């Protein structure tokens, strides 16, 4: 019988990656898996919305990425940077991501709580699991 395989928390891996990459660009935007209680003018939320295990060692989570800004232009600009970074995750040393595909392009949404603009897009990322110890 093959050993059981566990997979990383895809949203945590993805937010860590985005934080690191944005910080390296000098952009201290908040990136997390929840909307902050004290909302900054710009922030990014990543949420796993599905996906499934592909084979014994590969999980393929679908992630929604939402980017807020103080106005539509700022939200769009943040989305374009985050989208480019998202599509570049394969090979990043901090994760076991080896493939990414955009499955929903950017679309403008309105934040229901604040009426501020936000853009959302969706990706699927292949993540390699590891054998349970």
């Amino acid at each position: 019988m093959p050993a059981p395989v566990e997979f990383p928390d895809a949203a945590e891996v993805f937010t860590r990656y985005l934080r690191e990459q944005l910080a390296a660009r000098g952009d201290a935007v908040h990136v997390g898996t929840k909307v902050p209680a004290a909302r900054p003018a710009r922030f990014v939320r990543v949420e796993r919305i599905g996906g499934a295990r592909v084979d014994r060692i590969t999980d393929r989570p679908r992630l929604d990425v939402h980017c807020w800004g103080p106005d539509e232009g700022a939200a769009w600009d943040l989305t374009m940077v985050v989208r480019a970074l998202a599509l570049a995750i394969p090979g990043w040393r901090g994760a076991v991501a080896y493939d990414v595909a955009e499955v929903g392009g950017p679309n403008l949404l309105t934040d229901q709580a604040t009426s501020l603009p936000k853009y959302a897009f969706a990706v699927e990322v292949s993540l390699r699991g590891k054998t349970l110890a």
Side-chain angles (χ1 to χ4, degrees):
M1 172 193 287
V5 175
E6 67 177 335
F7 297 99
D9 177 339
E12 188 280 324
V13 167
F14 209 74
T15 56
R16 186 167 29 98
Y17 165 74
L18 289 175
R19 274 188 222 114
E20 180 182 297
Q21 298 304 307
L22 288 163
R25 296 175 50 81
D27 193 347
V29 65
H30 173 87
V31 180
T33 58
K34 295 184 177 13
V35 174
R39 292 174 180 236
R42 297 167 61 242
F43 66 96
V44 177
R45 186 193 73 192
V46 176
E47 178 182 26
R48 182 172 182 159
I49 59 169
R53 182 176 167 166
V54 175
D55 56 35
R56 190 167 108 56
I57 61 165
T58 307
D59 189 22
R60 183 90 172 163
R62 180 172 288 200
L63 302 170
D64 250 0
V65 182
H66 290 231
C67 301
W68 278 259
D71 58 53
E72 196 172 313
W76 176 256
D77 291 346
L78 178 58
T79 302
M80 291 300 95
V81 170
V82 170
R83 182 184 188 203
L85 293 172
L87 296 172
I89 195 172
W92 173 56
R93 291 186 60 192
V96 289
Y98 58 90
D99 179 54
V100 64
E102 186 173 63
V103 294
N107 60 84
L108 179 62
L109 306 170
T110 301
D111 183 299
Q112 293 182 359
T114 64
S115 297
L116 289 173
K118 69 175 176 174
Y119 281 89
F121 65 94
V123 294
E124 288 184 349
V125 182
S126 293
L127 298 175
R128 185 171 310 279
K130 66 179 182 177
T131 304
L132 283 176

